[in-house]
Amino acid sequence: MKKLLIASLFALSATTVFAHEFKKDGLLIGHPWARPSLGEVKVGAAYLSISNNGPSDDRLIGAKATVSEAVEIHAHIMNSDVMQMRRVDGVAAPSGATVKFEPGGLHVMLIGLKEKLVEGASFPMTLVFEKAGEIPVEVKIEKRAEPTSGGHHNH
């Protein structure tokens, strides 16, 4: 019985530690995270999901974070068989859909990091939407495996 209780507590704590989400006006921001900094690199990227459970479409138009000098929304675009990263003015969040920001795809670029992103720590970031306005989130810094498809790119 004691082992079952310990296993249950561990399972419960694992879900609360690793899963976190933020809600506003029908938008659900799922598990914002970033990888730890590598060496002296002064850029990073944040990833998350946006689920729009509201009755109308919205659009992510920006983000703010004090951890870096600038924050931009980026997408990876194939250009003549070369994957390139490009800044985009916004990302649609259609009603009833989920948009994923993940390695090798959409991401929030952190430019001019003021401090290293250290595994286990977190930092505040604010997402800015056309209709819902500002949604503050907490970005967890964690190591994750590299994606299995696609190649590496330089920021």
Side-chain angles (χ1 to χ4, degrees):
M1 183 69 169
K2 189 174 181 181
K3 286 182 182 179
L4 180 60
L5 179 61
I6 291 171
S8 297
L9 287 173
F10 178 75
L12 180 62
S13 68
T15 57
T16 55
V17 169
F18 296 116
H20 64 290
E21 55 192 29
F22 305 85
K23 297 177 184 179
K24 182 180 180 188
D25 295 347
L27 294 176
L28 172 72
I29 311 304
H31 196 79
W33 68 280
R35 286 196 177 105
S37 295
L38 296 173
E40 298 302 315
V41 175
K42 296 287 185 195
V43 294
Y47 310 100
L48 49 97
S49 65
I50 302 168
S51 296
N52 186 346
N53 302 314
S56 61
D57 296 347
D58 207 335
R59 184 173 171 80
L60 177 67
I61 56 172
K64 302 184 268 190
T66 58
V67 74
S68 63
E69 293 172 13
V71 181
E72 298 178 352
I73 302 167
H74 283 202
H76 282 91
I77 299 167
M78 193 62 106
N79 186 3
S80 301
D81 295 331
V82 176
M83 186 67 79
Q84 296 180 331
M85 189 173 51
R86 293 273 190 247
R87 179 181 182 181
V88 294
D89 292 330
V91 174
S95 177
T98 296
V99 180
K100 293 187 180 206
F101 285 61
E102 54 194 4
L106 291 168
H107 57 279
V108 179
M109 192 77 194
L110 306 165
I111 302 167
L113 287 172
K114 298 176 184 175
E115 58 192 62
K116 285 186 176 235
L117 302 180
V118 179
E119 184 177 2
S122 62
F123 62 89
M125 182 169 70
T126 302
L127 302 175
V128 183
F129 289 85
E130 271 181 355
K131 295 178 182 170
E134 295 188 353
I135 302 178
V137 301
E138 193 70 20
V139 179
K140 306 240 185 226
I141 302 166
E142 52 193 49
K143 278 190 178 174
R144 291 202 177 181
E146 288 290 325
T148 54
S149 63
H152 294 301
H153 66 277
N154 293 325
H155 289 282

